[in-house]
Structure formats: structure tokens, C-alpha cells
Amino acid sequence: MSYRWAKDTHTFRVDEQRNCLEGIFDGDASLTSSVCYSDHIAYEPGENILMADGVWAQEGYMTTNPTRQGLGYMISFAAASAAIRDRVNFIYISSGSIDGGGSALIKKLGGKLNMDLEFRTSKGNSVKLPGYLIRTTDMIKLSAEGWQNKGWKLVEARD
């Protein structure tokens, strides 16, 4: 899966690499963005938190470089597209960086903070964690509105 956007003299390309989406701004290898997803997240040594069927967990933080360009919207659009293709209905994000703007982006994509989301672990235990669940259909729609409002145009999309 690959997407390319253009705005004025700038381009942003996002390619799927295993369970990650990798972006590059203006073809410059020093200006990269990324986000990764999994069906589980590390919890304690030897134990993972398992996502329910139809749910992916974001691994760590999304990164965008440069910032303040709308790249988070575009990489989220690509992620939501991959998720929908793989029959994923929700994406779980444990938290978003306030300083980096991740919390604001999560909310703009339809995420609402829930302090008591319940998960099962690989050892059969139940654990409650705070975090956000974003419906992938909302994420694709709202991320597209976001990059369009920033003046970007989708010029290439390949499966």
C-alpha cells in the first residue's frame, strides 16, 4: 500500500512496511515520519496485552518530521486504509504526546479518552488501562478532512 500527496512544491509519500507506515517528506531521507500497529502490546516481562479481534494497538508514538504540515493526518489516513483492508474496526492508542500534538490529533480523529478499557493478557489475566479507541471509519474520514484542509491533494494511491 502506497500513497503520495502534493501541496505547492512539497510532496509526502507513505508506504506500508510490514506493520508500520513510513512517510518521507519531499524525498528527503532525513525528513521521515512513521507509525506502527500490532495485535498486542508489551505489558510485563513475558506477558503481552492482547487486542480483541478487529482491534489494533498503536506501538509507541507516531512521529512526523517536519511538524505542523498535516503529515499526521496523511499517515493516519494510510493507517486507517490498511486497517480497514485488514478488517480492523478500532485502533487503540494508549496516550498521545501533549507537547508533540499527538493528543490533539487523536481527538481530531474521533478518539475519546477512556480511563477503564479492559484487556486480556497472554497469561489470561484481565487488566484495565486508560487510552483512546478510534473507529477506523471515522479515522479515514476525519484524517482526509484534515489533510484537505491543510491544502494537500492525494495524487497517487496503490494497493
Side-chain angles (χ1 to χ4, degrees):
M1 182 174 281
S2 178
Y3 293 92
R4 189 169 57 88
W5 289 265
K7 174 184 171 182
D8 302 324
T9 62
H10 299 292
T11 61
F12 186 61
R13 181 182 182 95
V14 175
D15 294 298
E16 187 175 19
Q17 304 290 331
R18 287 187 228 129
N19 65 322
C20 298
L21 287 300
E22 308 274 338
I24 188 164
F25 186 79
D26 285 348
D28 184 337
S30 70
L31 298 175
T32 60
S33 303
S34 68
V35 67
C36 297
Y37 296 97
S38 180
D39 61 357
H40 68 278
I41 50 177
Y43 180 54
E44 302 211 352
E47 188 171 20
N48 292 319
I49 293 174
L50 307 176
M51 296 294 110
D53 287 343
V55 180
W56 278 353
Q58 180 176 307
E59 295 180 343
Y61 289 118
M62 172 188 292
T63 61
T64 59
N65 184 21
T67 60
R68 318 251 351 120
Q69 300 295 314
L71 307 184
Y73 288 119
M74 292 179 275
I75 207 161
S76 294
F77 180 87
S81 297
I84 290 168
R85 177 203 63 209
D86 290 351
R87 301 182 191 277
V88 171
N89 301 312
F90 291 93
I91 294 178
Y92 168 73
I93 303 170
S94 61
S95 67
S97 163
I98 293 171
D99 292 338
S103 293
L105 178 62
I106 291 166
K107 291 173 186 165
K108 289 176 182 177
L109 296 177
K112 293 177 180 46
L113 182 61
N114 185 321
M115 296 304 289
D116 290 315
L117 294 170
E118 191 165 337
F119 299 96
R120 287 268 176 232
T121 71
S122 54
K123 292 185 176 179
N125 298 316
S126 178
V127 63
K128 287 187 178 185
L129 297 174
Y132 301 85
L133 281 177
I134 301 177
R135 185 180 301 276
T136 53
T137 53
D138 292 344
M139 186 174 177
I140 201 164
K141 176 183 177 286
L142 296 170
S143 61
E145 289 174 7
W147 52 259
Q148 289 167 354
N149 289 339
K150 292 274 190 175
W152 289 93
K153 301 226 182 308
L154 182 62
V155 295
E156 183 181 344
R158 287 191 272 153
D159 279 340

